[in-house]
Amino acid sequence: MFSSETISIEEEIRSYCAEKDIPLAELRWQPIPFNGEWGTSTSFFQTAAHEAKAAKGTGKKVIVPMRAQEIAENIKELIGLPKGISRVEAVKGYLNLYFVTEDFAERVITAILQEKSDFGRGKSKGERVMVEYAQPNTHHSFHIGHYRNAILGESLSRLVEFAGFETIRAAYPGDIGLGVITVLWIYEKFYKGQEPDGVHERGQWLLNLYVEATNMLTEKENETDDERILREKYDAERREMYLKWDAGDEYIRDLWLETREWSLDELKDILLQIGIQIDTWFFESVEDEPSKAVVQELLDLDIATDERDEGGAVLVKIDEKLGLKKEKYRTNVLLRNDGTTLYLTKDLSLAKKKFNEFGVDRSIYVVDVRQSLHFMQAFAILGLWGFEQAEKCYHLGYGFVSLPGGAMSARKGRVVIFKDVADEAIRRFTETSKEKNPDLSEEVRAGVAKAVGLGSLAYAMLAVDNSRDTIFDVEKALSFEGRTGPYIQNAHVRAASILKKFEGLKVESLESATFNFELTSHEIELIELLSRFPAVVEQAAKEYRPMIMATYAYDLASAFHSFYHAVPVLKSETDAIRDARLQLVTAAKQTLANALKLLAITAPEVM
Ligand code: ARG
């Protein structure tokens, strides 16, 4: 972020190298790990390596580490002590620049006060990214696992967008399959014409129907003959319904579309509540036809093999086509013998659509880790097919979520409904808030309870490595201590409360800060963390890991809480110090808000 010094130093380095005919490699600056002093560093190894390469065969001998050190020393000599730099070192081929502490502090804080909600935003990357998430199957309910998916996808979208990628948010619900037909079957047979009131009630009712139907259609232990006959009859009806759907039967299609809408209404309502706005909706049912055309194309290109005449399927022998000796991607079916498509087939046409119709350069899929092999196969086939972007496809997997009580299974009805968990978190926080802060108006309390209840959930999901399973414990997540959403939100609230006391001083109108007093270690640590925010955005976006931002937000909150306890603001030694600290508090509050926003968490003013 501190380009002003490095830019002018870079210019000096460039003209020096040009003059001496040194083949300068790209200059990259890395922050020096903080140890009481702030600094940045660049290496001349690459440049020396270029020289060594160029010298080959000329009789001149270049020893890379020695030459790198020599260049670093010469440049150190050349630049002297530029403004804002307290000292310069040439060590082991590196040029280290250390900043004057007070200048550095001033610059960090001033940048934040000026850039506000844009502080940390990356330069445009000139690339378009599509993030696909929030794709639960319809005729089902939104459970806690879907929530982990949604919040992970949303945080990732916010991160890549903020880092400078043009971002498209996409969803791809599975809206057809035997599960969906099962719901239509029971509805038609036993519940026709019924429709519960309320978006959630209606959505969840479909799940109940699914569970009930699955019970009826599953073989029981000690089944009597009559029971078996009935079950088989039901199953035949269900299959017939599926065939009708396939044939485009108007009545079945209408029934399907109407009930699908119930699910989507519920899904959109939940997404709205958690701050998610999807730009583009894809559906499995829509991909069915185009995916058949893809199979034809792959057959024409000799990537797929048609073994249907021998009673087999249309398949891709991925390992063989890639010339791999060891089994990695295996062989995959694209069309069954009866000509129907599979999940994988549809993903091929969907990927093509993403690249060709939406012009994406990168395509990220936020999907359960259990589908890892599926995505490896899909991306490998895209590569064989000749899509350059296949390399830019990325599966962000995530693990299972359970409650302290145990695992869940949709088929058995042991599903943890997201809304139940969210309502419970909000209810519990409302109670705590009534005790701790009885003076809040009910309206404000309701807003805060929603922010903190949902924030606790979001943070609990984002703070664990995405690939690991996790247990969601409401009690822990709502705690004000430890790695929780409320702990971070509370740092923001504390900053807000300090500033409120100083409203008359109009901190925000102070354009620049002056830190020419001896900083406490708490201030230094806080400033250090603030200065790192832009790099954290960049890293989290580059690695597609919201957890990096979650960890940072906790560290920042923790540094702020320590500062809050140890350093007086109101009772600072002088007015100038007080003003500087007020600006530091303003900057910390802003950065906490920016970090929370990237985690899809609201930053409340009171709680
Ligand atoms: N609907 C699928 C499921 O619930 C997830 C879709 C994942 N996305 C994809 N492009 N295959 O398992």
Side-chain angles (χ1 to χ4, degrees):
M1 83 177 271
F2 301 109
S3 43
S4 57
E5 282 83 10
T6 48
I7 284 172
S8 63
I9 294 171
E10 270 184 25
E11 272 164 20
E12 285 192 74
I13 297 176
R14 257 185 256 289
S15 54
Y16 168 80
C17 289
E19 199 180 296
K20 301 269 176 209
D21 260 341
I22 300 173
L24 181 65
E26 192 196 343
L27 278 169
R28 287 201 194 137
W29 297 94
Q30 288 287 351
I32 298 172
F34 183 75
N35 186 12
E37 251 180 320
W38 284 291
T40 184
S41 147
T42 192
S43 143
F44 292 100
F45 268 80
Q46 204 57 43
T47 300
H50 285 175
E51 274 194 345
K53 210 168 161 200
K56 264 209 185 114
T58 64
K60 221 172 91 188
K61 196 154 170 56
V62 177
I63 299 166
V64 176
M66 281 173 69
R67 178 59 183 148
Q69 174 62 12
E70 194 181 356
I71 300 174
E73 274 168 18
N74 290 346
I75 286 171
K76 175 182 172 206
E77 206 63 35
L78 174 81
I79 62 176
L81 203 58
K83 188 180 169 295
I85 302 291
S86 62
R87 63 196 179 92
V88 181
E89 281 174 357
V91 197
K92 295 186 175 152
Y94 281 85
L95 183 73
N96 298 337
L97 308 175
Y98 291 91
F99 298 116
V100 175
T101 301
E102 73 188 49
D103 291 1
F104 181 88
E106 237 170 78
R107 217 141 11 95
V108 175
I109 303 307
T110 306
I112 300 170
L113 296 186
Q114 286 174 358
E115 292 167 32
K116 299 193 168 68
S117 60
D118 278 330
F119 172 61
R121 188 185 286 283
K123 282 204 267 322
S124 167
K125 301 274 191 289
E127 267 191 52
R128 186 175 294 169
V129 182
M130 183 175 276
V131 185
E132 189 215 290
Y133 60 110
Q135 19 20 5
N137 296 336
T138 62
H139 298 79
H140 213 286
S141 214
F142 195 85
H143 62 61
I144 191 90
H146 295 133
Y147 173 70
R148 187 175 191 188
N149 171 306
I151 205 74
L152 200 55
E154 180 60 22
S155 176
L156 181 65
S157 301
R158 292 186 187 200
L159 280 163
V160 291
E161 193 165 50
F162 199 62
F165 290 95
E166 187 193 334
T167 305
I168 304 175
R169 291 158 166 82
Y172 180 52
D175 60 339
I176 190 58
L178 196 58
V180 170
I181 296 293
T182 304
V183 175
L184 296 188
W185 167 77
I186 193 171
Y187 176 81
E188 183 65 10
K189 190 155 182 88
F190 298 109
Y191 294 96
K192 200 169 172 169
Q194 295 188 29
E195 182 181 339
D197 271 343
V199 171
H200 288 286
E201 289 71 10
R202 214 170 51 176
Q204 283 181 45
W205 185 59
L206 292 177
L207 174 66
N208 296 340
L209 295 193
Y210 175 74
V211 173
E212 191 184 339
T214 309
N215 249 325
M216 290 182 184
L217 289 156
T218 311
E219 187 181 338
K220 315 244 168 357
E221 266 178 62
N222 311 319
E223 193 173 55
T224 64
D225 276 352
D226 284 354
E227 282 171 342
R228 180 182 49 80
I229 291 167
L230 190 61
R231 177 172 56 77
E232 286 172 358
K233 177 171 162 276
Y234 286 169
D235 193 40
E237 289 171 3
R238 170 169 69 158
R239 286 183 194 277
E240 192 192 316
M241 206 169 198
Y242 205 166
L243 290 179
K244 278 190 178 164
W245 182 91
D246 238 355
D249 179 286
E250 205 176 318
Y251 177 76
I252 300 293
R253 288 276 175 149
D254 283 349
L255 179 64
W256 167 67
L257 282 178
E258 190 188 352
T259 46
R260 183 178 90 160
E261 218 44 42
W262 295 356
S263 287
L264 293 175
D265 283 348
E266 191 197 14
L267 174 61
K268 286 177 188 170
D269 197 64
I270 291 172
L271 296 182
L272 188 72
Q273 196 191 5
I274 55 186
I276 297 178
Q277 182 120 38
I278 295 294
D279 303 311
T280 305
W281 291 86
F282 299 115
F283 291 103
E284 276 190 35
S285 60
V286 176
E287 291 313 316
D288 192 47
E289 274 314 306
S291 72
K292 289 180 182 162
V294 166
V295 177
Q296 195 49 53
E297 210 175 307
L298 293 174
L299 280 169
D300 294 344
L301 290 166
D302 199 28
I303 295 166
T305 320
D306 194 345
E307 297 183 351
R308 280 179 293 181
D309 285 348
E310 302 109 69
V314 174
L315 37 86
V316 183
K317 297 173 181 167
I318 310 178
D319 289 335
E320 190 186 303
K321 291 285 167 194
L322 285 170
L324 298 179
K325 297 264 161 344
K326 272 206 192 134
E327 182 180 88
K328 183 168 180 194
Y329 301 101
R330 306 181 194 168
T331 288
N332 283 96
V333 175
L334 295 186
L335 282 187
R336 296 189 188 91
N337 192 265
D338 64 4
T340 52
T341 67
L342 289 95
Y343 182 52
L344 178 69
T345 328
K346 295 177 195 120
D347 254 321
L348 297 177
S349 81
L350 178 65
K352 180 179 170 186
K353 196 182 260 180
K354 288 178 179 179
F355 295 141
N356 293 355
E357 284 176 31
F358 290 83
V360 309
D361 304 293
R362 285 164 199 256
S363 191
I364 309 175
Y365 296 74
V366 184
V367 186
D368 195 326
V369 276
R370 286 170 294 185
Q371 295 191 24
S372 294
L373 180 63
H374 165 80
F375 284 108
M376 275 172 59
Q377 293 165 335
F379 302 159
I381 297 174
L382 291 175
L384 284 169
W385 195 4
F387 281 94
E388 280 171 28
Q389 304 97 319
E391 279 175 25
K392 299 276 185 72
C393 284
Y394 181 80
H395 169 214
L396 182 74
Y398 61 89
F400 204 71
V401 186
S402 54
L403 295 195
M408 57 178 176
S409 150
R411 290 183 50 225
K412 301 201 181 97
R414 273 192 285 121
V415 172
V416 182
I417 302 291
F418 163 72
K419 193 162 179 300
D420 295 343
V421 180
D423 287 350
E424 174 67 5
I426 294 172
R427 190 189 62 74
R428 287 211 200 186
F429 181 77
T430 308
E431 271 167 29
T432 319
S433 159
K434 279 182 182 156
E435 272 166 39
K436 285 197 176 173
N437 204 349
D439 299 338
L440 280 188
S441 76
E442 285 316 304
E443 196 191 336
V444 172
R445 193 188 317 283
V448 175
K450 187 179 164 201
V452 178
L454 293 176
S456 70
L457 256 156
Y459 194 80
M461 298 294 155
L462 295 173
V464 262
D465 187 72
N466 48 276
S467 59
R468 291 196 10 217
D469 290 350
T470 178
I471 297 174
F472 178 73
D473 183 338
V474 190
E475 205 78 53
K476 262 199 207 151
L478 273 178
S479 163
F480 278 58
E481 298 303 322
R483 294 180 176 272
T484 68
Y487 176 80
I488 303 165
Q489 289 170 312
N490 192 33
H492 185 265
V493 168
R494 279 181 163 165
S497 78
I498 296 177
L499 296 175
K500 208 172 278 159
K501 292 189 195 130
F502 290 98
E503 238 152 18
L505 288 173
K506 291 255 176 297
V507 188
E508 263 127 284
S509 68
L510 300 174
E511 282 289 294
S512 66
T514 307
F515 284 86
N516 58 355
F517 53 95
E518 178 128 21
L519 296 172
T520 63
S521 61
H522 299 284
E523 287 160 299
I524 289 186
E525 204 202 336
L526 192 51
I527 294 167
E528 159 68 5
L529 276 159
L530 293 173
S531 77
R532 272 178 29 208
F533 179 67
V536 174
V537 172
E538 199 64 31
Q539 191 198 352
K542 192 168 141 220
E543 296 179 19
Y544 305 143
R545 279 172 73 207
M547 190 184 83
I548 293 175
M549 185 52 69
T551 305
Y552 171 83
Y554 170 78
D555 291 343
L556 181 58
S558 164
F560 186 79
H561 283 302
S562 308
F563 164 83
Y564 178 87
H565 289 301
V567 182
V569 177
L570 173 65
K571 299 200 176 100
S572 291
E573 300 87 308
T574 68
D575 281 0
I577 296 180
R578 181 199 57 198
D579 287 354
R581 287 187 178 148
L582 279 174
Q583 289 177 318
L584 176 56
V585 172
T586 309
K589 177 174 182 270
Q590 182 70 61
T591 309
L592 281 164
N594 293 5
L596 284 171
K597 182 144 193 221
L598 294 172
L599 300 171
I601 296 176
T602 308
E605 294 290 314
V606 288
M607 66 193 267

